[in-house]
Amino acid sequence: MSAFRKIMMATIAAAALAGNVAAQDVKVLRIGLDGGENEADQVRRTECVKPGLIAATGVSEVQLFPSPNYNGVIQGLLGGTIDLAVMGAASYAAVYIKDPNAVTPVLTTKQADGSTGYYSIMVARKDSGIKTLADAKGKKLGFADPDSTSGYLVPNVALPKATGAPVKQYFAETGFGGGHENLVLGVLDKKFDVGTTFGSGQGDWAQGYTSGNLHQMVTKGLLDMDDIVEVWKSPLIPNGPLMVSQKLPADLQKKVTAYFAELPKTDKSCFESFTGGGYVDWAPVDQSFYQTIIDARKAVIGG
């Protein structure tokens, strides 16, 4: 064997060993929770994945990191203090615009009909007399969060097309509810006349559709759909991704992805809990699936 070949083989072996050591050095996986609903419920829904992730990846611990808003998780993914999260497409776009190599979108949720999208839904109190966008003109509009796809980005793109006027001209005032759950509660409490949240747009209105914030609130007993009306529904939005940090070793990224990909089969109840219910499986995705949302975020919010 030539000296050059010996050096090359030694280099490859050293690189492989370094990769294994790096993977072994990761003792904790950190899951970010974005504040779309109250912290206790998010933690309760998510903690079922801990034992399976530990078994599948070999880490010693899985930690949950609730944030009061979307930006906390976004910054955690950018800074490497969060290893994975499921968030809306606009949140992924925020990460991608800042650092295209920070995370990889690997999976997104799929509804029973095979679709991988949902809707921004504007609601009002039933007793407000607001039934259409025309009725909402000059009223106070509430958004969920400035980094929410359905609760801010898409309405700011789609509403001007529907109303023929910029959002700030059409509505008397706008504000933020502090997450989707709080936004709907704000509408019910008359803090806002109308507000934007999200749902699958499929199934029974009385159940808050089959999935999304309205459905979750009905399930938890926080909302009676008879108390609100749907004022507007957006074009279809791509479901948000499960994002995995590229700072994790490649083999660990694959193990994390494989665990979640199999979760609907290995533990259906945990899959339903983790994803908020109303979904039947995952679908594989990559960056291209979210390009329209990336472009929209650049146009509306910037980098």
Side-chain angles (χ1 to χ4, degrees):
M1 182 183 296
S2 69
F4 177 76
R5 182 170 176 79
K6 288 180 179 179
I7 292 170
M8 286 298 296
M9 290 183 67
T11 301
I12 293 170
L17 179 61
N20 288 334
V21 170
Q24 292 169 3
D25 283 347
V26 178
K27 302 298 184 185
V28 178
L29 281 176
R30 299 154 299 185
I31 302 176
L33 307 178
D34 65 16
E37 63 180 317
N38 73 78
E39 180 179 315
D41 286 341
Q42 277 198 306
V43 169
R44 175 187 53 77
R45 286 198 301 102
T46 306
E47 62 185 359
C48 67
V49 303
K50 286 181 172 182
L53 266 177
I54 289 171
T57 62
V59 300
S60 57
E61 187 179 359
V62 174
Q63 297 177 352
L64 305 179
F65 285 86
S67 171
N69 54 44
Y70 289 40
N71 189 54
V73 179
I74 290 169
Q75 296 307 316
L77 290 167
L78 286 167
T81 58
I82 296 296
D83 299 312
L84 60 135
V86 176
M87 299 182 75
S91 295
Y92 165 65
V95 175
Y96 180 84
I97 291 168
K98 289 288 186 182
D99 182 359
N101 298 313
V103 300
T104 302
V106 292
L107 299 167
T108 195
T109 45
K110 181 164 49 174
Q111 279 92 259
D113 68 347
S115 64
T116 54
Y118 66 110
Y119 299 90
S120 173
I121 297 171
M122 182 184 293
V123 297
R125 285 174 60 104
K126 181 177 282 188
D127 62 8
S128 69
I130 301 172
K131 297 180 180 179
T132 66
L133 274 181
D135 297 331
K137 186 174 183 180
K139 304 296 185 181
K140 185 174 182 180
L141 167 63
F143 295 116
D145 184 283
D147 289 303
S148 170
T149 314
S150 58
Y152 183 70
L153 178 61
V154 167
N156 272 279
V157 173
L159 281 172
K161 296 178 182 179
T163 63
V167 167
K168 290 187 177 179
Q169 290 182 18
Y170 194 80
F171 297 93
E173 187 179 352
T174 62
F176 291 101
H180 285 276
E181 195 171 276
N182 286 335
L183 181 279
V184 175
L185 294 175
V187 171
L188 292 172
D189 292 339
K190 301 184 179 180
K191 180 180 179 181
F192 304 106
D193 298 307
V194 291
T196 52
T197 186
F198 70 99
S200 66
Q202 302 178 25
D204 188 357
W205 168 258
Q207 297 301 314
Y209 293 126
T210 58
S211 64
N213 179 58
L214 296 172
H215 180 77
Q216 290 175 15
M217 292 184 71
V218 170
T219 300
K220 291 189 287 187
L222 296 176
L223 176 64
D224 184 336
M225 294 295 285
D226 283 339
D227 293 335
I228 62 172
V229 294
E230 182 175 298
V231 175
W232 169 81
K233 185 168 70 176
S234 74
L236 191 67
I237 304 168
N239 287 345
L242 168 66
M243 297 175 275
V244 180
S245 172
Q246 291 193 31
K247 292 179 174 64
L248 292 175
D251 64 327
L252 189 54
Q253 293 181 48
K254 291 179 181 178
K255 289 177 181 178
V256 168
T257 302
Y259 164 75
F260 280 105
E262 291 298 313
L263 190 59
K265 303 180 187 70
T266 59
D267 193 339
K268 184 177 180 181
S269 63
C270 182
F271 168 76
E272 291 174 346
S273 179
F274 182 77
T275 58
Y279 304 104
V280 298
D281 204 348
W282 299 102
V285 291
D286 58 20
Q287 179 271 333
S288 64
F289 187 71
Y290 298 103
Q291 189 60 54
T292 56
I293 301 299
I294 292 168
D295 295 341
R297 185 176 178 100
K298 286 180 179 178
V300 173
I301 301 175

